[in-house]
Amino acid sequence: MDANWHNEPTDFGQVGKLPRSHNGGAAAALGSLNITSATTDESLLDLPWHIALEEWPAKNLAALPRGISRHIVRFAHLSGSVIAIKETSEHIARHEYHMLRKLQRLDVPCVEPVAVISGRHTTDGAELDPVLVTRHLKFSLPYRALFSQTLRRDTLTRLIDAQALLLVRLHLVGFYWGDVSLSNTLFRRDAGAFAAYLVDAETGELYPKLSNGQREYDLEIARVNIAGELMDLLEGGLIEDKVDPLATSERIMDSYRKLWAELTEKESFELGDRWRVNARIRRLNDLGFDVEEFSIKTTPDGSQIQLQPKVVDAGHHQRRLIRLTGLDVQENQARRLLNDLDGYRADNNPDLDEEISAHAWVRHVFEPVVRAIPRELAGKLEPAEVVHQVLEHRWYISESQRRNVPLAEAVQAYIDDVLRHRRDEAAILLNPDDKTARLLAANSLDNENNNDDE
């Protein structure tokens, strides 16, 4: 099979939808593929693109549960990783591919686009739909995979808060989602909370700045979709009976608006209260955002200061941890590890340079914990989450036993009492439990039947 590889266009300044192709998309002859990709991975050619996606043989597929989708979606192995493949139109596939590329350049949490493949034909010459290929995010969970046992209300609340934060980050860069839902999001554990990643950018548009109406419409879509998803889960017995889907879905409205106000609203105070400038910066840092510039104006009579953040970037703790240690982790994980790092410095080398002390912490705390995890348990959680949980477990048993538990003892206790009993989150989606697999298979079948009816 021949393939025509196309590098990604470099029109980085383009905003919004890419123009629709007028030549019908694939220009390849029968038996050849058109592949648009930022990198050339020739393993793509080993996959059976001449077969309709819903008929792919099991040997090519990764047994991940499929969520609800308007399209046929399958998961496959590629070069040691897992990819998601979605059949759609060429225009939609290219639009979503370029939206995801742009969001990556803007440092927004989203899945990595791999390629758009068109020019597909069966061996009999029949045309097949083009596909969008994205890379599956390791250690991430679709929200339905979290419901293999009844989910507690506070865990559900953390999911919705993570969704609200993702929506704020998207809106700050001018991205209108158009289909906000838990189904279009992946979640990774982040020091007791969750970090949310955009999966589906099919309906998304990128603008220089969103209007209040665009933001509110996205928010209303989120509220309605999440309420429907929670009703579905409640009917299936996968969330506590006392959870009110409508009231719970309203939380994304409150969480979003509070965060948006903290990040963007003007603040006025008396000239003598200039300390509130630093207080505002600290609050934003606590939320995980950096402030690069402030707009400060005084009133005509000089009695008040009006303050407004100008440029606000997410990842404050992540960037500090990377700068000090080279560790690239989730935001809340970075916050927790930095707390331990700062405590380690205060207890051992308070006068030592911060970066030197940070590297000592990596050698004497982070790396020993990671190395202590037995190989057969290494897939349970990603390393940063393991270290965070070890530190939490150490604090817990120290409190309960009223003594300072050594790190090595805490690690062993965590392995024996906690880690051995956890699901393997690197592989949970490859080996879902029977209840989750049945639910997801039924939902996928219902959705495909509904699509056929349409």
Side-chain angles (χ1 to χ4, degrees), residues 8 36 81 96 100 125 140 143 205 214 264 298 353 391 422:
E8 182 203 3
T36 298
S81 64
E96 185 169 4
L100 290 172
S140 66
Y143 82 102
E205 301 282 359
Q214 287 172 311
T264 64
T298 57
D353 177 81
L391 296 175
R422 288 193 64 93

Side-chain angles (χ1 to χ4, degrees), residues 200-268:
D200 193 324
E202 178 180 312
T203 57
E205 301 282 359
L206 195 59
Y207 299 94
K209 183 179 180 181
L210 295 185
S211 67
N212 289 337
Q214 287 172 311
R215 293 192 301 104
E216 286 297 320
Y217 192 63
D218 239 0
L219 203 54
E220 178 63 17
I221 291 172
R223 185 187 67 81
V224 172
N225 283 347
I226 291 174
E229 289 167 328
L230 296 183
M231 289 178 185
D232 180 47
L233 293 171
L234 188 62
E235 185 176 350
L238 295 175
I239 52 178
E240 294 177 327
D241 292 339
K242 61 184 177 181
V243 171
D244 182 340
L246 294 177
T248 305
S249 70
E250 293 284 346
R251 181 178 177 87
I252 194 171
M253 312 280 281
D254 296 335
S255 182
Y256 173 95
R257 289 190 174 122
K258 288 177 182 177
L259 183 56
W260 186 266
E262 187 65 57
L263 294 172
T264 64
E265 280 191 356
K266 292 181 181 179
E267 182 179 5
S268 298

Side-chain angles (χ1 to χ4, degrees), residues 293-360:
E293 183 181 345
F294 267 106
S295 174
I296 299 178
K297 298 180 180 179
T298 57
T299 54
D301 61 4
S303 62
Q304 281 195 330
I305 293 178
Q306 294 179 340
L307 175 69
Q308 183 175 20
K310 293 289 287 183
V311 179
V312 185
D313 290 332
H316 170 77
H317 301 96
Q318 286 175 307
R319 283 191 290 274
R320 184 183 169 215
L321 188 67
I322 288 177
R323 176 176 60 83
L324 291 175
T325 68
L327 297 173
D328 187 5
V329 304
Q330 301 294 326
E331 177 66 15
N332 287 331
Q333 291 168 348
R335 186 203 311 262
R336 179 64 184 87
L337 297 182
L338 284 168
N339 286 341
D340 193 73
L341 187 155
D342 291 337
Y344 176 88
R345 182 187 181 199
D347 292 340
N348 296 279
N349 306 293
D351 299 323
L352 195 63
D353 177 81
E354 183 181 50
E355 293 188 5
I356 295 176
S357 180
H359 285 290

